[in-house]
Amino acid sequence: MLSKMLPEYREEAKKRIVEAGLEVMYEKGYCSTTMEDIARRLDVSKPALYRYFKNKDELVMESANYLQTQYRDIKTTRNSDLCPVDSWIEIFDQIMSDDIKIHALYFEILGMTVRKPEVQKRSVEGMKRGLDQPALEIAEQQQKGLIPSGADPRTLAVAIVSLFNGMRVLILLGVDWEEVRSRWIEILRNLFGMTGKGEQAECPRDCKWFEDCNTAPEA
């Protein structure tokens, strides 16, 4: 029971609350979820939750941080010597769920930034990290000759993040996940695989994504 946990387990308790909160919000949406719903999911009293979070808004901000941390952990395990298309396919497969409820919650939280300054502040900080890190990785890959040097790393990072969120919209609106994935790969090839002269860069056949990258999606 959360209410009986010792102080040294506080962070673990908060993590359990966040995970339970996300489960409920995926099912019901942010607006329809109450602290009582989350307490019920954990089989604890509602006052027990308020020992860790003042209100639902504070919980949702912690949830957003939790998801961003998961995303950063996936990115930081990548090897910058890998093909950049390979790296971003891996991220897509680990993050881009085919469950539309997950994407619906993402955009619901995003919409809160307009009316809730604290949520906006956290979102801006998260987006800054979400752009800075891939831009740095792209610059490193350019130095290793994996990406054409003429492309601006920041521009590519913005394009990838924008594309990723656009793919969320497509899945949310009913486009088949497999088609979205194939389009993602095709666009990445165009972003990373073309030289300044318009010549296609060679893809190593031992790359585990060779077949995916070299199978054009149906029109």
Side-chain angles (χ1 to χ4, degrees):
M1 298 285 287
L2 293 176
S3 58
K4 297 180 179 179
M5 294 188 96
L6 298 173
E8 56 264 36
Y9 296 112
R10 182 177 180 82
E11 291 306 311
E12 180 61 28
K14 289 180 69 174
K15 179 182 176 182
R16 285 180 58 198
I17 296 170
V18 166
E19 290 174 343
L22 284 170
E23 288 177 5
V24 178
M25 286 188 282
Y26 286 147
E27 294 171 8
K28 302 183 64 174
Y30 170 77
C31 293
S32 298
T33 296
T34 65
M35 293 293 271
E36 186 174 350
D37 292 328
I38 299 169
R40 190 180 302 115
R41 179 62 60 96
L42 287 165
D43 194 25
V44 300
S45 66
K46 189 164 66 170
L49 299 186
Y50 289 114
R51 296 184 181 186
Y52 302 92
F53 298 99
K54 292 185 297 185
N55 50 47
K56 190 172 70 170
D57 283 352
E58 187 173 280
L59 173 56
V60 81
M61 285 188 291
E62 188 65 30
S63 299
N65 287 340
Y66 177 78
L67 294 174
Q68 288 171 356
T69 298
Q70 285 187 319
Y71 176 64
R72 289 197 299 273
D73 286 347
I74 291 171
K75 291 175 67 61
T76 54
T77 62
R78 290 159 55 204
N79 184 341
S80 61
D81 291 330
L82 292 175
C83 164
V85 176
D86 182 341
S87 301
W88 286 100
I89 293 175
E90 203 163 309
I91 288 176
F92 183 97
D93 286 346
Q94 293 187 60
I95 296 179
M96 191 66 75
S97 171
D98 59 356
D99 186 345
I100 63 172
K101 292 179 180 178
I102 292 177
H103 303 298
L105 178 62
Y106 172 82
F107 287 112
E108 192 173 0
I109 294 174
L110 195 62
M112 291 169 58
T113 61
V114 178
R115 299 177 182 85
K116 297 183 181 293
E118 186 58 33
V119 176
Q120 182 183 55
K121 178 182 177 182
R122 296 284 186 94
S123 297
V124 168
E125 291 171 353
M127 180 56 68
K128 184 177 185 301
R129 290 192 295 268
L131 291 173
D132 288 348
Q133 185 169 327
L136 178 62
E137 291 174 357
I138 289 168
E140 291 175 352
Q141 289 171 325
Q142 284 180 323
Q143 292 177 353
K144 296 174 181 178
L146 297 171
I147 297 175
S149 59
D152 175 62
R154 182 76 175 183
T155 299
L156 287 176
V158 170
I160 291 169
V161 172
S162 301
L163 173 63
F164 197 84
N165 285 327
M167 296 297 173
R168 289 183 188 272
V169 173
L170 292 178
I171 293 173
L172 182 61
L173 296 179
V175 178
D176 181 73
W177 186 90
E178 291 293 344
E179 179 182 356
V180 171
R181 183 179 185 273
S182 68
R183 303 294 177 183
W184 168 257
I185 295 171
E186 184 68 14
I187 296 171
L188 287 174
R189 290 180 64 202
N190 281 282
L191 283 174
F192 292 135
M194 303 295 289
T195 67
K197 297 179 180 180
E199 298 172 351
Q200 185 67 41
E202 183 178 356
C203 179
R205 288 184 174 273
D206 60 352
C207 171
K208 65 181 178 179
W209 302 112
F210 182 84
E211 291 300 326
D212 286 335
C213 280
N214 288 275
T215 302
E218 296 181 3

